[in-house]
Amino acid sequence: MQNTLKLVSFALCPYVQRAAIVMAEKSVPFERVNVDLSDKPDWFREMSPLGKVPLLIVVDQALFESGPIVEYLDEVYAPALHPKDPLAKARHRAWMEVATSILSDIWVLETTKDEASFASKQTAIREKFARFENVLGDGPWFAGDRFGIVDAVVAPIFRYFEVFDELRDLGMWADLRKVSTWRSRLMQRPSVQAAVQPDYADLLRDFLRRHDGILARNLPERQKKPSTASKVPARA
Ligand SMILES: N[C@@H](CCC(=O)N[C@@H](CS)C(=O)NCC(=O)O)C(=O)O
């Protein structure tokens, strides 16, 4: 299967999930190749200009950056997930940027030991979800009946909160009825479920434990010991 797409991945990476979800929505077969981001292999350093996953290897070319990767997939494989109308499409791309900025905020939630930084990112994320609440219609998806790329990029954010919400009351969803419904629908979507390996939640808990930030303090005592199998990723 010389032409099978290869998705160069890291188990916890939300950007990798974007590409995996889009390919699943389009029934595009692909092979995952995991790399250890704490000990990047030479072939990966050569192929990835920014040293980051995801890479999508298409025949002999390595595409990098999740945004261009999902846009490429959307142009080449049916069904189209972006709207056709240029204005609507530009608007969807802009909301993808909001999702990306939430991922930067999440990095601080996962790792900081500082209560003030934690609280400020918690507020920032809550405000961004409130913005989503204002633009969501009756669903089921971001733009109505058709699952789109905005859905695919927001789903990995909601996945973090499946673990975070066990650890601390972040007050993230109160009064955000549409966002809450969207979240639970996305978490049930087969493409979203299949985008990570079955032990994702345990790996995320290990990641939090090793960074020893505020969220890790709230891991139950019996879960405090890191599993010996996991390595410290550069980014989750
Ligand atoms: N802007 C990139 C972000 C990708 C990214 O941050 N990937 C992380 C893993 S989630 C990574 O590879 N980090 C390795 C490093 O920075 O050394 C995208 O959208 O693809």
Side-chain angles (χ1 to χ4, degrees):
M1 290 286 284
Q2 208 181 348
N3 288 339
T4 300
L5 298 176
K6 289 193 179 61
L7 183 62
V8 181
S9 305
F10 173 75
L12 286 172
C13 181
Y15 302 95
V16 166
Q17 291 175 49
R18 296 174 169 189
I21 294 168
V22 167
M23 285 193 278
E25 288 292 332
K26 291 167 178 287
S27 305
V28 176
F30 67 97
E31 185 189 319
R32 252 178 213 266
V33 181
N34 280 326
V35 287
D36 180 353
L37 291 177
S38 62
D39 183 18
K40 296 173 185 169
D42 290 343
W43 65 263
F44 173 71
R45 288 180 187 280
E46 260 169 49
M47 277 185 168
S48 178
L50 299 174
K52 294 176 192 279
V53 293
L55 295 179
L56 185 72
I57 302 181
V58 185
V59 192
D60 57 353
Q61 298 208 44
L63 297 182
F64 59 101
E65 287 293 311
S66 61
I69 289 171
V70 298
E71 300 276 353
Y72 164 77
L73 290 166
D74 205 38
E75 280 186 29
V76 170
Y77 298 100
L81 300 182
H82 260 329
K84 271 205 174 59
D85 172 64
L87 184 57
K89 195 194 293 186
R91 190 174 154 270
H92 281 222
R93 288 180 172 140
W95 282 103
M96 289 164 67
E97 290 300 318
V98 178
T100 298
S101 89
I102 295 177
L103 288 177
S104 303
D105 299 332
I106 283 179
W107 171 252
V108 178
L109 280 197
E110 290 178 299
T111 57
T112 190
K113 297 176 176 20
D114 176 58
E115 289 285 352
S117 307
F118 189 94
S120 111
K121 291 303 178 184
Q122 189 178 345
T123 304
I125 297 171
R126 160 88 197 171
E127 284 173 3
K128 287 168 196 168
F129 277 128
R131 299 267 184 173
F132 272 110
E133 180 79 13
N134 290 338
V135 295
L136 284 169
D138 294 328
W141 310 115
F142 175 74
D145 287 342
R146 287 180 49 176
F147 186 98
I149 293 184
V150 178
D151 297 293
V153 305
V154 171
I157 298 174
F158 287 139
R159 195 192 309 280
Y160 280 107
F161 286 91
E162 301 288 290
V163 171
F164 295 174
D165 285 351
E166 288 171 359
L167 301 178
R168 188 161 164 133
D169 179 8
L170 296 166
M172 201 58 78
W173 318 110
D175 303 325
L176 301 184
R177 185 186 58 80
K178 290 178 179 175
V179 168
S180 300
T181 308
W182 187 33
R183 175 189 178 194
S184 56
R185 284 195 184 117
L186 279 173
M187 287 298 92
Q188 286 163 31
R189 184 87 171 172
S191 63
V192 171
Q193 292 182 345
V196 291
Q197 54 195 63
D199 59 351
Y200 170 89
D202 285 337
L203 293 176
L204 179 55
R205 289 187 198 101
D206 278 354
F207 175 88
L208 296 174
R209 210 170 272 128
R210 288 177 186 279
H211 280 271
D212 198 23
I214 286 169
L215 280 176
R217 283 186 214 148
N218 298 324
L219 282 166
E221 205 54 48
R222 64 188 167 76
Q223 291 185 351
K224 281 242 161 96
K225 195 163 173 264
S227 95
T228 49
S230 68
K231 303 202 174 185
V232 181
R235 177 71 172 93

